[in-house]
Amino acid sequence: MAESKTAPTFEEALKRIEEIVRSLDDGTAELDRSLELYEEGIGLVRLCSSMLDNAEKKIKILQSGEDGELIEKDFDNE
């Protein structure tokens, strides 16, 4: 039975990106391996970016209304 591969958490992906950067930075990997690492890193960066976008959409801001009641609004980056 094949093992199902789950997406890494944000923290796991970020840690792997750091490992890839160190590997590419030391310059000891052959070209083919460097390209594999680079492609893996780009995929992980896209995954992290998507995770951050989704988290941002979930953020709510609590503001105080005129009557003192708290009003929940969507986060607006602008």
Side-chain angles (χ1 to χ4, degrees):
M1 180 185 274
E3 203 177 298
S4 70
K5 194 172 186 180
T6 60
T9 65
F10 180 83
E11 291 78 10
E12 291 168 340
L14 195 57
K15 182 179 177 187
R16 180 63 184 140
I17 291 168
E18 291 171 350
E19 292 170 356
I20 290 170
V21 168
R22 278 193 296 274
S23 294
L24 292 173
D25 196 39
D26 74 12
T28 59
E30 294 183 12
L31 180 60
D32 288 342
R33 180 65 181 144
S34 292
L35 289 173
E36 289 172 6
L37 289 170
Y38 177 79
E39 289 174 357
E40 180 185 355
I42 291 298
L44 290 169
V45 166
R46 288 182 179 143
L47 175 66
C48 286
S49 178
S50 175
M51 289 177 174
L52 288 173
D53 288 343
N54 289 334
E56 185 177 271
K57 290 176 185 174
K58 294 179 182 179
I59 294 175
K60 300 284 184 185
I61 297 176
L62 291 177
Q63 295 181 341
S64 181
E66 291 179 19
D67 59 359
E69 292 291 318
L70 291 179
I71 301 169
E72 187 178 284
K73 293 187 171 189
D74 288 334
F75 176 78
D76 186 8
N77 213 9
E78 298 173 5

